[in-house]
């Protein structure tokens, strides 16, 4: 049996960041194992797929503290302005990096790029051992240790097992942590889009009767589309040919970037809120999507997940002699409570307010957007969370 201080199930954004974060923060070297079924360059990797995500200013600050940003920066596109609007109505909000006095509001990265970078960092680090391809299939816990059985028959023992194995989380199921689910009855259609006019670092979020449309600036002048639709509408959009798809999107998004010229391969994701109230158990902690999976409306998923990761890594560093001790886990749980609740509530409220076309909501949100644009104190709390400037 191989022994480790920490075993992390799941080597995607949360799991890989955690392995590197513990390694960076711990005052003395800890032995870390990451178990992941897919190699980072495997196109079927569920965590490092064709998606692009926006990293908030706060997330980039954490990545800088962990010494990871220098590797990611060359493949990241800065967001200089965010434009929020409501289709066919006047209300809109503009947020610019100049207005808030920051170099940029955040950055957009392609998950496949980050996957390759992370895999290289992890494999070059002698304190981290990557078990790949492999997955956790059984867990047993005793007073001082957890034992993990992999699907290839190997057995690992550890002082702390961390579940970073995504929304469904086999590990949480094995340990018996309850899952709350809410189906938003929406599907996100994603694709890369080429536009006639240069994006100049602008990100757009547009609320339409059928659901929110976001376009994020990417490298090579491309934009990353996230279009949330009713499941039947998403199915219809996925089936359209390129020109018909672009024409539907143009109608919803408008002409702020001129003609939408090309669209790459489309992919779709059913949207559910998944949440585990308990984010710890005996010799066990949860981070990232395994703890909470959010609607992408406000681009908060990994930006919240990395705050789980950073807080857990800090608590482990404070008690590195026993990273799975109850004192470490209870402090981690306590530190994460308020932020998790606030971000989940904010995201779910936005979905409700902006995905419905009731007249009262429409008037309310237009007034809200217009007021927010004109009254800075109203903009501030939403802005702080969007930028990831949150107390942990
Ligand atoms: C359309 C869309 C747009 C988004 N946009 C944004 C955005 O702009 N900003 C943002 O911050 N977030 C965004 N998100 C959310 C973000 O992508 C996720 O929060 C993040 O990628 C989750 O990472 P994770 O590592 O927690 O989980 P996952 O990516 O789900 O990774 C889990 C990993 O665990 C592995 N695994 C599964 N079972 C086992 C097992 N038994 N043993 C070992 N390993 C296992 C899987 O192979 C996988 O690699 C978006 C999400 C979607 C769907």
């Amino acid at each position: 049996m191989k022994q480790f201080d920490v075993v992390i199930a799941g080597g995607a954004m949360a799991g890989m960041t955690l392995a590197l974060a513990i390694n960076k923060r711990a005052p003395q070297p800890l032995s870390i194992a990451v178990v992941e079924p897919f190699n980072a360059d495997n196109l079927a990797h569920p965590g490092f797929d064709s998606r692009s995500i926006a990293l908030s200013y706060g997330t980039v600050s954490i990545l800088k503290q962990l010494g990871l940003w220098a590797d990611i920066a060359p493949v990241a596109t800065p967001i200089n302005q965010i434009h929020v609007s409501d289709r066919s109505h006047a209300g809109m909000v503009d947020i610019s990096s100049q207005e808030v006095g920051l170099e940029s509001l955040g950055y957009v990265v392609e998950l496949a790029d980050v996957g390759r970078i992370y895999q290289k960092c992890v494999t070059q680090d002698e304190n981290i051992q990557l078990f790949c391809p492999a997955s956790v299939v059984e867990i047993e816990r005793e007073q001082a240790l957890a034992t993990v059985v992999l699907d290839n028959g190997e057995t690992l023992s550890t002082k702390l097992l961390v579940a970073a194995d995504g929304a469904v989380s086999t590990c949480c199921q094995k340990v018996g942590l309850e899952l709350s689910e809410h189906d938003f009855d929406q599907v996100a259609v994603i694709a890369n889009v080429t536009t006639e006019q240069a994006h100049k670092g602008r990100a757009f979020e547009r609320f339409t009767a059928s659901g929110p449309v976001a376009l994020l600036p990417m490298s090579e002048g491309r934009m990353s589309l996230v279009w949330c639709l009713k499941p039947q509408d998403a199915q219809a959009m996925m089936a359209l040919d390129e020109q018909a798809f672009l024409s539907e999107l143009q109608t919803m998004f408008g002409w702020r970037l001129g003609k939408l010229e090309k669209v790459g391969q489309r992919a779709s994701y059913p949207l559910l809120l998944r949440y585990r109230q308990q984010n710890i158990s005996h010799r066990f902690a949860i981070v990232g999507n395994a703890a909470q999976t959010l609607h992408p409306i406000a681009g908060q998923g990994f930006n919240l997940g990395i705050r789980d990761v950073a807080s857990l890594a800090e608590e482990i560093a404070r008690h590195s002699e026993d990273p799975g001790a109850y004192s470490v886990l209870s402090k981690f749980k306590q530190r994460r409570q308020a932020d998790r609740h606030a971000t989940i509530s904010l995201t779910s409220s936005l979905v409700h307010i902006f995905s419905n076309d009731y007249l009262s909501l429409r008037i309310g949100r237009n007034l809200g957007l217009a007021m927010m644009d004109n009254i800075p104190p109203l903009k501030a709390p939403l802005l702080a969370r969007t930028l990831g400037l949150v107390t942990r």
Side-chain angles (χ1 to χ4, degrees):
M1 192 188 307
K2 291 182 177 152
Q3 296 185 347
F4 294 91
D5 292 308
V6 182
V7 170
I8 301 167
M13 289 302 283
M16 290 292 217
T17 314
L18 180 65
L20 295 160
I22 296 171
N23 203 30
K24 171 81 181 171
R25 294 266 180 207
Q28 77 239 16
L30 293 179
S31 56
I32 304 160
V34 178
V35 183
E36 168 58 48
F38 295 90
N39 214 285
D41 54 19
N42 184 336
L43 293 177
H45 196 303
F48 295 136
D49 58 12
S50 59
R51 249 171 312 159
S52 292
I53 66 166
L55 304 178
S56 69
Y57 175 82
T59 295
V60 172
S61 305
I62 295 174
L63 292 169
K64 281 182 182 164
Q65 287 159 21
L66 296 173
L68 295 171
W69 182 244
D71 288 325
I72 297 174
V75 297
T77 306
I79 303 172
N80 305 320
Q81 192 186 347
I82 302 174
H83 179 85
V84 184
S85 62
D86 202 346
R87 184 172 176 255
S88 313
H89 303 284
M92 59 176 73
V93 176
D94 266 308
I95 304 166
S96 72
S97 49
Q98 261 173 328
E99 172 192 349
V100 292
L102 298 173
E103 196 182 298
S104 74
L105 296 169
Y107 288 82
V108 180
V109 290
E110 295 182 58
L111 289 180
D113 286 340
V114 181
R116 274 189 295 276
I117 292 165
Y118 271 0
Q119 183 146 318
K120 194 168 157 216
C121 294
V122 162
T123 43
Q124 282 172 351
D125 201 305
E126 56 182 24
N127 299 324
I128 307 174
Q129 196 172 332
L130 183 60
F131 291 82
C132 179
S135 42
V136 173
V137 288
E138 282 307 331
I139 300 167
E140 271 177 32
R141 291 174 296 163
E142 292 159 35
Q143 180 57 31
L145 287 176
T147 307
V148 168
V149 181
L150 309 188
D151 60 347
N152 60 12
E154 280 187 280
T155 305
L156 318 179
S157 86
T158 180
K159 293 175 189 160
L160 173 65
L161 170 62
V162 183
D165 54 346
V168 177
S169 184
T170 307
C171 291
C172 290
Q173 287 176 23
K174 295 280 172 197
V175 166
L177 289 184
E178 206 183 310
L179 175 70
S180 307
E181 264 188 4
H182 171 75
D183 191 341
F184 289 113
D185 195 31
Q186 285 187 358
V187 169
V189 173
I190 65 141
N192 295 340
V193 175
T194 311
T195 57
E196 185 186 9
Q197 289 173 20
H199 56 62
K200 296 182 190 147
R202 287 172 296 167
F204 297 86
E205 175 111 37
R206 178 148 239 235
F207 300 105
T208 77
S210 60
V213 181
L215 280 167
L216 301 174
M218 290 175 76
S219 57
E220 295 157 20
R222 298 165 302 158
M223 299 220 74
S224 162
L225 167 73
V226 181
W227 189 0
C228 304
L229 293 151
K230 289 268 167 221
Q232 61 277 19
D233 296 341
Q235 205 180 356
M237 289 302 142
M238 292 293 288
L240 291 178
D241 66 32
E242 189 173 322
Q243 282 317 314
F245 179 84
L246 284 169
S247 150
E248 291 288 339
L249 180 60
Q250 187 95 61
T251 309
M252 285 301 153
F253 178 70
W255 292 83
R256 282 200 167 81
L257 288 163
K259 191 170 180 334
L260 304 177
E261 290 179 332
K262 272 197 260 172
V263 59
Q265 200 172 353
R266 282 160 262 170
S268 65
Y269 299 81
L271 300 178
L272 289 93
L273 167 68
R274 288 193 170 104
Y275 174 63
R276 290 185 168 92
Q277 175 86 26
Q278 281 296 338
N279 60 349
I280 59 164
S281 175
H282 178 66
R283 303 243 156 235
F284 187 79
I286 326 175
V287 295
N289 269 23
Q292 63 273 315
T293 305
L294 308 182
H295 190 290
I297 192 163
Q300 291 287 317
F302 179 65
N303 291 315
L304 176 60
I306 197 172
R307 301 201 288 266
D308 294 340
V309 164
S311 295
L312 183 58
E314 283 161 12
E315 290 311 317
I316 290 174
R318 282 200 188 102
H319 301 275
S320 54
E321 66 295 341
D322 186 359
Y326 179 70
S327 56
V328 174
L329 299 178
S330 63
K331 192 73 206 295
F332 164 67
K333 180 182 173 188
Q334 184 201 330
R335 283 183 65 181
R336 296 307 302 133
Q337 214 150 359
D339 182 20
R340 292 178 76 209
H341 281 131
T343 310
I344 291 168
S345 305
L346 171 81
T347 306
S348 298
S349 311
L350 286 176
V351 178
H352 177 69
I353 296 169
F354 286 106
S355 296
N356 286 301
D357 209 31
Y358 305 126
L359 183 64
S360 55
L361 275 180
R362 219 189 308 147
I363 294 170
R365 74 185 175 220
N366 272 284
L367 269 175
L369 286 176
M371 276 165 67
M372 264 209 284
D373 207 34
N374 293 312
I375 308 172
L378 289 181
K379 222 171 172 180
L382 182 65
L383 194 57
R385 201 154 284 278
T386 307
L387 293 175
L389 300 172
V390 176
T391 316
R392 299 187 270 114

